[in-house]
Amino acid sequence: MEKYDVIVVGAGISGLLSALTLSKHGNKVLVLEKNNNIGGNCNSYVVDGFQVDTGAHAITHLEVGPLRRLMDNYFDYMPVFEDYGHYYVRTEDQFLKVPSNVRDFVTFDVLPRKDRIVVSQAITKALTLFTFGIDLSKQSVYDFMSDNLSKDTYDFVDAISYFLSGRDMKETSVQRVLSGSSFVRDSVLQEQMESIMKVHEKPQTEPVLKSILTSNLHTSLQTRMNKASKPLTTLGRLATNKVSYSQGYPRKGLKSLLNAVLFSLPKSVEIKTGCEVKKILTSNGKVVGVEADETYYANTVVYTGFVTDLPKMVETLPSSYVEELKGVDHTKSLTVWLGLDSLLEEFNYIGSEIWFKNQPYWAMPITNYDSSLAPKGKQLVGFSFIIKEEKSESSEIKNAYETIFRAIPCIEDHIQMKHEQITIPEKAAVTINGYFADARTPINNLYVAGTDTDSRSMGITRAAYSVIELLQKMNEDRNLHK
Ligand SMILES: Cc1cc2nc3c(=O)[nH]c(=O)nc-3n(C[C@H](O)[C@H](O)[C@H](O)COP(=O)(O)OP(=O)(O)OC[C@H]3O[C@@H](n4cnc5c(N)ncnc54)[C@H](O)[C@@H]3O)c2cc1C
């Protein structure tokens, strides 16, 4: 029976980034994916001539964030990112930029003037406390604001909270809003990366690759990032912050990020699809392999499915760990993709828009980045909603269409393609009391990676953080370099 160094369970972006990095440290890796296609929540596919993504995506912290570090150190081929553009707010009678800093709040007349002053003061206070090292991860956004604001202001702050944590402002931390709005920026220094991957015992047989393309960002994004990266104190961002700082949309769609990982995988990585892992096998407190369509053996297993499913798969987990995993919070999302028969004036912008009344949405006209995602002369827009677990999917879909038609009444006459996706965007929501698993499990050489194993940032950026954390833990355990 062939033995692998590492078995990775799951071929979403976390599993594939794990396979890529571990194989580049010399490990022979087997990836097992239960679906017939790979990519999980990070992919694109064609519906009636329109190329939709698995949810509307902005890729964040591309200058010095964790994904950038992984791309620089391990990718042989770099995706091209288009400048993300701006975030806008749509109401029945207004369309204007989301305020990025306290200066922008002055003119943001969607909300009453008094409320804008209160919100600006709350941001200033939060950033000042953060700058002085106060932990704001357990303080809710709601507790930070006055209780005497208008409904519109609460709805607006709730909508932002939903998109950043999946929950309302009572369950979203101040820290999450500061980092999600770029006041506090995600970064992993190259020196940190090098120290994480430092060889402890034996020399590396295969060096970590440096990027072969220095910087392959779209020129306008590069220019903006150069401007934005001038030294600034965190507090200085109160006046100058940009929410969309160093964000991008991958040219040719989300799947081009997936393709860049696949292109960079060495031959020592084997991927099997349609292969669900049902049991993770252990012996004397150490992982020995997995049971799927057959039994596979390995020295190490990296699990990237839902950590909440682990107790079903590993019989020997301690009950205290199983109890802790019950603290993980999930949220569900619905994305409605609309293929339009022409280019609508309403979507004549680059970036995304937020509707914050009743059922909030976040929408992206992705053909404005790349017209090849739709047939010639047509437009493709994705509207993402957070949906409630207790309501039926069909009623949430119905509500979503009603909201879209209320926000953009003319759209109904232009719909050529409709497509709905219901997904869990992140395997854990960053709520005040939400639990995140550690990359190390109580079973020796069984590790976990993915969006429920690291609470920093969100989505793909968080997945990248979790993989860097995995590398660090595996290196400390002398399991990284082969
Ligand atoms: C609507 C929406 C909007 C989003 N917006 C953004 C955004 O703007 N920016 C951003 O960065 N991110 C965004 N995300 C989130 C991002 O796409 C995900 O966080 C990321 O793709 C998760 O990757 P993952 O590998 O951790 O998990 P997944 O994609 O869930 O992959 C896990 C994989 O493991 C497989 N698996 C599970 N159990 C088993 C098993 N037992 N055996 C074999 N295989 C198994 C699954 O089939 C799956 O393929 C969004 C997501 C959605 C849905």
Side-chain angles (χ1 to χ4, degrees), residues 250-264:
R251 187 183 293 171
K252 298 285 167 210
L254 194 55
K255 71 166 188 204
S256 61
L257 177 57
L258 176 69
N259 287 343
V261 182
L262 294 179
F263 181 88
S264 307

Side-chain angles (χ1 to χ4, degrees), residues 143-331:
D143 289 342
F144 228 77
M145 303 207 312
S146 146
D147 53 6
N148 203 10
L149 303 176
S150 69
K151 179 170 184 320
D152 270 1
T153 303
Y154 285 129
D155 285 350
F156 177 73
V157 178
D158 256 344
I160 303 288
S161 302
Y162 274 123
F163 294 118
L164 292 177
S165 78
R167 295 297 171 93
D168 67 16
M169 60 180 159
K170 288 190 175 154
E171 287 191 78
T172 302
S173 75
V174 174
Q175 176 76 25
R176 185 73 207 94
V177 172
L178 284 183
S179 58
S181 53
S182 295
F183 278 111
V184 171
R185 293 178 182 171
D186 288 309
S187 69
V188 178
L189 301 176
Q190 180 59 24
E191 299 75 54
Q192 273 173 290
M193 224 24 220
E194 280 164 16
S195 97
I196 287 170
M197 297 178 304
K198 193 172 67 200
V199 180
H200 289 296
E201 282 177 344
K202 37 192 172 168
Q204 247 173 276
T205 49
E206 195 171 344
V208 172
L209 291 192
K210 290 276 164 206
S211 106
I212 53 167
L213 300 174
T214 44
S215 179
N216 199 13
L217 295 161
H218 191 275
T219 339
S220 66
L221 175 56
Q222 188 64 61
T223 316
R224 239 156 60 87
M225 286 183 354
N226 289 345
K227 270 198 216 146
S229 60
K230 285 198 186 110
L232 272 179
T233 64
T234 312
L235 275 175
R237 288 186 198 132
L238 278 172
T240 56
N241 186 48
K242 286 269 172 284
V243 175
S244 58
Y245 162 78
S246 96
Q247 295 189 9
Y249 178 78
R251 187 183 293 171
K252 298 285 167 210
L254 194 55
K255 71 166 188 204
S256 61
L257 177 57
L258 176 69
N259 287 343
V261 182
L262 294 179
F263 181 88
S264 307
L265 286 179
K267 292 215 163 34
S268 55
V269 180
E270 211 180 305
I271 302 179
K272 288 197 171 182
T273 54
C275 193
E276 180 174 2
V277 171
K278 300 198 179 78
K279 288 266 176 259
I280 295 177
L281 307 171
T282 64
S283 171
N284 297 326
K286 182 179 175 296
V287 81
V288 291
V290 303
E291 208 176 278
D293 56 337
E294 54 182 281
T295 305
Y296 298 93
Y297 295 97
N299 181 49
T300 300
V301 172
V302 176
Y303 174 79
T304 71
F306 286 86
V307 287
T308 44
D309 286 344
L310 263 187
K312 282 186 268 169
M313 308 172 79
V314 192
E315 278 156 9
T316 50
L317 283 177
S319 55
S320 55
Y321 183 72
V322 173
E323 213 40 52
E324 279 170 357
L325 294 182
K326 290 184 184 155
V328 173
D329 285 334
H330 294 145
T331 27

Side-chain angles (χ1 to χ4, degrees), residues 22-37:
L22 295 172
S23 60
K24 291 225 167 167
H25 287 287
N27 292 287
K28 185 172 162 51
V29 180
L30 171 68
V31 183
L32 298 175
E33 167 57 52
K34 69 177 173 188
N35 290 334
N36 291 328
N37 58 303

